[in-house]
Amino acid sequence: MRILFVGYRDERHSKFGGYDYIAGYPNSTYLNACDVPFGFIPVGKKGKGINLRFLYLKSMLMKSKFDVVHYFYGDFMLFGKLPEKKNTKFFTTIHMRSKDLSEKKLEILRQFDGVISLSSAEKNNLELLGVKAHFIPHGFNKPSYKKVEYAGFDDSRINIFYSGMNYRDFDMFLKTVEYCKSCKKNIHFYAVGQSAENKLKLAGYENVTVCKRLDDDEYYSLLNSCDYNFLPLTFATANNVLLESQAFGKISILPDIDGIQDYADHNNNLLYKNFESLAKILDGVKKESTCSDLMLFAQKFSWNEIYKRLEDVYSCGV
């Protein structure tokens, strides 16, 4: 089976994160946005849409050479109708919430031979909207890195890692910081990858270290040095920091919501339903070592396992 992956690398992810690892599928071909006009424009910057339109056009010129074409950041590449008469099968992966998709984008998605969803709940939602959807988890391979000591890190405290902004419940994080400031003075938070606005809101808290931009070695070293990963979310499909934490055997404190169900080890992570249950979790936390059961659980998300599941979907579609 000849497979063409079409997409790009999101440099905002850590080295081992990001969905572009899908292009490591055995014996496939990768059409990278860097290799078409305006490929120098970073993800999230003005003009990236022009680059992606060139990418889409080139994929259409190449399609006849492949059995499968898979746009793996499909949310941003739904430009128009697919060919009505075609031997090639078209797949795409959707990362956004289905309710955030316009009717125009949904019409385009209904033309695909298969749409990969990164959560089982979103797969069901897409099917209700008339889309041929499949749930296949996001893959993740355990990172390798050079250990770096974070300046001022105090291992005698209970240290909690908080990272990222996408779909984060920042109000819940602030409420948690306030609670620990009064009731759990031995807990210290490390806030990574925050906006200038968030950094200002956190600046006055002695129980929070707001980190500068970290390189991969610094990021993985800090995560692996902390006792817990805290991931308050309003919505979830795949989340790199949860996959990273489990790969390292680090316990995560998580909301009990759809999406988390697909990725979190319920036996070893700590799940809350509201702030009251979160406060009880915080009251009981202690210094933690690596959890080998979490590391074992994380292996089910290795990219080699994901490639096998993709092969099953592709085979049904061609």
Side-chain angles (χ1 to χ4, degrees), residues 240-256:
N240 277 290
V241 70
L242 173 56
L243 294 169
E244 289 163 346
S245 298
Q246 292 186 148
F248 287 138
K250 290 292 168 181
I251 296 171
S252 290
I253 303 170
L254 306 161
D256 191 3

Side-chain angles (χ1 to χ4, degrees), residues 9-163:
R9 170 71 182 168
D10 188 341
E11 295 297 341
R12 295 172 295 188
H13 290 132
S14 54
K15 181 179 178 181
F16 287 85
Y19 197 69
D20 59 304
Y21 274 86
I22 194 174
Y25 186 102
N27 302 314
S28 64
T29 301
Y30 177 24
L31 176 57
N32 190 329
C34 291
D35 299 326
V36 300
F38 301 98
F40 60 88
I41 300 175
V43 177
K45 298 297 183 180
K46 187 176 181 180
K48 188 63 180 177
I50 298 172
N51 171 234
L52 296 183
R53 284 183 179 274
F54 274 107
L55 185 65
Y56 180 78
L57 289 171
K58 186 167 182 179
S59 72
M60 285 297 164
L61 293 173
M62 297 173 63
K63 68 181 186 302
S64 61
K65 299 178 181 178
F66 297 92
D67 302 303
V68 168
V69 174
H70 187 154
Y71 302 97
F72 59 79
Y73 279 120
D75 322 66
F76 310 105
M77 296 190 65
L78 301 177
F79 296 123
K81 291 184 177 181
L82 296 175
E84 292 185 8
K85 294 182 178 180
K86 58 187 188 328
N87 294 320
T88 304
K89 299 296 181 180
F90 287 84
F91 291 80
T92 189
T93 300
I94 295 298
H95 301 253
M96 292 169 55
R97 288 180 292 200
S98 54
K99 72 176 186 179
D100 293 334
L101 295 166
S102 67
E103 183 56 34
K104 180 180 178 181
K105 287 191 173 183
L106 286 169
E107 281 297 320
I108 297 172
L109 283 177
R110 292 181 186 117
Q111 301 170 37
F112 278 84
D113 298 282
V115 173
I116 307 301
S117 171
L118 299 177
S119 89
S120 55
E122 281 299 297
K123 176 255 187 187
N124 294 336
N125 291 338
L126 287 167
E127 286 185 330
L128 291 173
L129 293 167
V131 175
K132 295 186 285 289
H134 306 267
F135 166 54
I136 299 179
H138 194 303
F140 189 78
N141 294 336
K142 184 178 179 180
S144 58
Y145 66 97
K146 180 181 178 181
K147 185 171 176 57
V148 177
E149 297 296 333
Y150 193 89
F153 188 87
D154 183 354
D155 197 42
S156 67
R157 303 179 298 206
I158 297 173
N159 294 295
I160 299 181
F161 189 84
Y162 171 77
S163 176

Side-chain angles (χ1 to χ4, degrees), residues 74-309:
D75 322 66
F76 310 105
M77 296 190 65
L78 301 177
F79 296 123
K81 291 184 177 181
L82 296 175
E84 292 185 8
K85 294 182 178 180
K86 58 187 188 328
N87 294 320
T88 304
K89 299 296 181 180
F90 287 84
F91 291 80
T92 189
T93 300
I94 295 298
H95 301 253
M96 292 169 55
R97 288 180 292 200
S98 54
K99 72 176 186 179
D100 293 334
L101 295 166
S102 67
E103 183 56 34
K104 180 180 178 181
K105 287 191 173 183
L106 286 169
E107 281 297 320
I108 297 172
L109 283 177
R110 292 181 186 117
Q111 301 170 37
F112 278 84
D113 298 282
V115 173
I116 307 301
S117 171
L118 299 177
S119 89
S120 55
E122 281 299 297
K123 176 255 187 187
N124 294 336
N125 291 338
L126 287 167
E127 286 185 330
L128 291 173
L129 293 167
V131 175
K132 295 186 285 289
H134 306 267
F135 166 54
I136 299 179
H138 194 303
F140 189 78
N141 294 336
K142 184 178 179 180
S144 58
Y145 66 97
K146 180 181 178 181
K147 185 171 176 57
V148 177
E149 297 296 333
Y150 193 89
F153 188 87
D154 183 354
D155 197 42
S156 67
R157 303 179 298 206
I158 297 173
N159 294 295
I160 299 181
F161 189 84
Y162 171 77
S163 176
M165 292 182 57
N166 195 30
Y167 296 124
R168 300 300 191 272
D169 189 344
F170 187 72
D171 289 339
M172 180 66 86
F173 179 61
L174 275 180
K175 192 173 181 179
T176 303
V177 168
E178 287 277 6
Y179 177 80
C180 292
K181 180 182 175 184
S182 302
C183 302
K184 290 290 291 184
K185 297 181 184 297
N186 63 330
I187 289 180
H188 191 85
F189 296 92
Y190 284 87
V192 179
Q194 300 303 297
S195 66
E197 181 183 0
N198 285 359
K199 288 178 179 179
L200 281 175
K201 291 179 180 178
L202 295 169
Y205 292 99
E206 293 183 358
N207 60 337
V208 180
T209 296
V210 180
C211 302
K212 64 177 179 61
R213 182 173 177 82
L214 304 178
D215 64 28
D216 285 336
D217 289 340
E218 292 169 329
Y219 174 88
Y220 290 130
S221 295
L222 180 58
L223 171 58
N224 218 353
S225 297
C226 286
D227 298 286
Y228 299 90
N229 167 49
F230 181 37
L231 190 56
L233 295 166
T234 57
F235 169 79
T237 56
N239 187 283
N240 277 290
V241 70
L242 173 56
L243 294 169
E244 289 163 346
S245 298
Q246 292 186 148
F248 287 138
K250 290 292 168 181
I251 296 171
S252 290
I253 303 170
L254 306 161
D256 191 3
I257 60 175
D258 288 338
I260 290 295
Q261 310 288 345
D262 297 315
Y263 292 92
D265 179 355
H266 285 221
N267 293 324
N268 294 290
N269 290 306
L270 303 171
L271 278 73
Y272 63 88
K273 292 185 179 294
N274 49 40
F275 182 74
E276 287 70 28
S277 60
L278 172 58
K280 288 182 180 178
I281 289 172
L282 294 167
D283 289 342
V285 295
K286 61 184 187 302
K287 294 293 292 180
E288 284 289 349
S289 56
T290 299
C291 175
S292 57
D293 286 344
L294 268 175
M295 298 173 71
L296 186 63
F297 178 87
Q299 292 176 14
K300 68 193 288 186
F301 299 109
S302 73
W303 275 109
N304 283 335
E305 293 300 314
I306 302 306
Y307 298 150
K308 293 174 187 176
R309 296 181 66 165

